[in-house]
Amino acid sequence: MAIKKSNVTTGMARMQLPSPVAAYAPATMILTHVCCEAVATADILELAVLPPYCRVISAELIGEGTGATTFTVGLMSGEFGSTDPARTSGNELFSAVAGNALQTASLVSLAALGKTDAARSIGVRASAAIAANPATKLHLRISYATGF
């Protein structure tokens, strides 16, 4: 098992994420991961980060060229950016959803997520291996806010 990185979570290329400037004012980001590197079924893709003190208020997921592969998306254990292979990824946002159709996180799932004082990684696990192919993409639109 390996921790794969997106362009949001990779070292010096790490993008600065928008952070809510006022309580209850949501920040929204659209993340696209291009599969230039193969992802095995045991791998976790560290796709995004949820800033400290923020709660997810909406999330949508869709893949391009992913076929019948399903995806499980949730919060990762351990520190943001760590490559420790012992890290795990939960299913708080999506649990085994089809990648070839637009998926929206349920309100019940989002309401169950709390906030913490540390940045948290959002991880993705695929049900099938994904070959390295620039035409294969995974898109996540996520909105989050402080103050809840």
Side-chain angles (χ1 to χ4, degrees), residues 7 54 70 143:
N7 62 342
C54 289
T70 63
S143 296

PDB file of all heavy atoms in Angstrom, residues 7 54 70 143:
ATOM      1  N   ASN A   7      -1.931  17.032  -6.943  1.00  0.00           N
ATOM      2  CA  ASN A   7      -1.201  18.294  -7.072  1.00  0.00           C
ATOM      3  C   ASN A   7      -1.492  19.246  -5.912  1.00  0.00           C
ATOM      4  O   ASN A   7      -0.772  20.199  -5.699  1.00  0.00           O
ATOM      5  CB  ASN A   7      -1.506  18.975  -8.411  1.00  0.00           C
ATOM      6  CG  ASN A   7      -2.967  19.338  -8.571  1.00  0.00           C
ATOM      7  OD1 ASN A   7      -3.832  18.823  -7.864  1.00  0.00           O
ATOM      8  ND2 ASN A   7      -3.255  20.203  -9.520  1.00  0.00           N
ATOM      9  N   CYS A  54     -12.528  23.819  10.012  1.00  0.00           N
ATOM     10  CA  CYS A  54     -13.538  23.820   8.951  1.00  0.00           C
ATOM     11  C   CYS A  54     -14.356  22.543   8.956  1.00  0.00           C
ATOM     12  O   CYS A  54     -13.866  21.482   9.315  1.00  0.00           O
ATOM     13  CB  CYS A  54     -12.877  23.978   7.580  1.00  0.00           C
ATOM     14  SG  CYS A  54     -12.211  25.628   7.303  1.00  0.00           S
ATOM     15  N   THR A  70     -15.475   1.967  -8.519  1.00  0.00           N
ATOM     16  CA  THR A  70     -16.152   2.718  -7.467  1.00  0.00           C
ATOM     17  C   THR A  70     -15.103   3.364  -6.567  1.00  0.00           C
ATOM     18  O   THR A  70     -13.964   2.903  -6.488  1.00  0.00           O
ATOM     19  CB  THR A  70     -17.091   1.824  -6.633  1.00  0.00           C
ATOM     20  OG1 THR A  70     -16.317   0.825  -5.964  1.00  0.00           O
ATOM     21  CG2 THR A  70     -18.158   1.180  -7.500  1.00  0.00           C
ATOM     22  N   SER A 143     -17.027  22.249  -0.644  1.00  0.00           N
ATOM     23  CA  SER A 143     -17.257  23.527   0.033  1.00  0.00           C
ATOM     24  C   SER A 143     -17.133  23.291   1.524  1.00  0.00           C
ATOM     25  O   SER A 143     -17.600  22.284   2.042  1.00  0.00           O
ATOM     26  CB  SER A 143     -18.659  24.075  -0.270  1.00  0.00           C
ATOM     27  OG  SER A 143     -18.787  24.361  -1.639  1.00  0.00           O
TER      28      SER A 143
END
